[in-house]
Amino acid sequence: MRIIIIIYKNIKELLEKELVVGIGASRDIFNGLVKTDYCEIIDLINSVIADYSLSKENKDGFNLLREDYNNGKKDWYVLYTLMCFSFNHQFRFNSDMKYNSSFGSIRAYFSDRQKEDLKKMKDRLFDKDVQIISKNFIDIDFDKFSKD
């Protein structure tokens, strides 16, 4: 079993891992991705995209979504959608824990490739016993995991 700590990684890398320990917001996203049916994930993301008219060019829609997220719309799929439309698909937070990644003009959007990667991840996790651990890194007993 391998362990990877995720701060921000390409979801494709998750296909090769058996256990993922996420930190902070990435944990919430991964938890949502694991527990939610693929079709529902796509519907949730597409709903956010439609509600805010998100596109490669719509910076105003992105800024409105970011503002709504920072004001309480904290669903994991909202954060994931923000990340898809952020510069270099990054997410970052300021010291007040407000999302402050900038708009990824022209290059950032929810692509067919991302949909394919999500589908592959869901297929790979279908029959796995996935553990989602929500602990401080130093509190995890790594001796409980095999060295493989």
Side-chain angles (χ1 to χ4, degrees), residues 22-84:
I23 296 176
S26 66
R27 180 199 61 231
D28 297 337
I29 290 173
F30 189 71
N31 190 31
L33 292 173
V34 167
K35 293 183 175 184
T36 309
D37 176 72
Y38 172 76
C39 291
E40 185 179 351
I41 292 169
I42 300 303
D43 288 346
L44 289 167
I45 294 168
N46 283 336
S47 176
V48 173
I49 291 169
D51 289 350
Y52 291 87
S53 301
L54 297 175
S55 69
K56 293 180 188 181
E57 296 87 18
N58 188 359
K59 184 176 181 178
D60 292 338
F62 173 85
N63 287 337
L64 180 58
L65 178 59
R66 183 176 62 191
E67 181 179 325
D68 286 350
Y69 178 83
N70 286 333
N71 289 323
K73 193 172 186 168
K74 302 281 187 189
D75 299 304
W76 68 267
Y77 59 88
V78 172
L79 180 58
Y80 183 86
T81 306
L82 270 171
M83 181 184 68
C84 290

Side-chain angles (χ1 to χ4, degrees), residues 5-142:
I5 305 302
I6 294 194
I7 295 172
Y8 174 82
K9 289 283 184 186
N10 184 325
I11 202 136
K12 186 175 171 182
E13 291 181 27
L14 297 177
L15 299 175
E16 300 171 6
K17 311 305 177 200
E18 292 182 30
L19 173 70
V20 176
V21 180
I23 296 176
S26 66
R27 180 199 61 231
D28 297 337
I29 290 173
F30 189 71
N31 190 31
L33 292 173
V34 167
K35 293 183 175 184
T36 309
D37 176 72
Y38 172 76
C39 291
E40 185 179 351
I41 292 169
I42 300 303
D43 288 346
L44 289 167
I45 294 168
N46 283 336
S47 176
V48 173
I49 291 169
D51 289 350
Y52 291 87
S53 301
L54 297 175
S55 69
K56 293 180 188 181
E57 296 87 18
N58 188 359
K59 184 176 181 178
D60 292 338
F62 173 85
N63 287 337
L64 180 58
L65 178 59
R66 183 176 62 191
E67 181 179 325
D68 286 350
Y69 178 83
N70 286 333
N71 289 323
K73 193 172 186 168
K74 302 281 187 189
D75 299 304
W76 68 267
Y77 59 88
V78 172
L79 180 58
Y80 183 86
T81 306
L82 270 171
M83 181 184 68
C84 290
F85 287 86
S86 294
F87 179 74
N88 284 341
H89 295 103
Q90 297 175 1
F91 60 85
R92 70 172 187 248
F93 298 87
N94 62 24
S95 61
D96 294 327
M97 291 309 297
K98 300 287 187 182
Y99 186 87
N100 70 349
S101 290
S102 58
F103 179 60
S105 180
I106 306 301
R107 295 180 9 186
Y109 62 103
F110 185 54
S111 68
D112 289 338
R113 174 71 187 267
Q114 286 170 298
K115 291 176 192 174
E116 290 172 21
D117 287 346
L118 282 171
K119 177 71 171 127
K120 288 176 186 175
M121 184 196 74
K122 291 298 290 181
D123 290 346
R124 169 97 183 187
L125 294 175
F126 178 72
D127 61 350
K128 303 284 188 260
D129 180 24
V130 177
Q131 298 176 25
I132 299 177
I133 300 170
S134 180
K135 290 184 175 182
N136 186 315
F137 178 78
I138 61 173
D139 294 330
I140 297 172
D141 183 1
F142 290 99

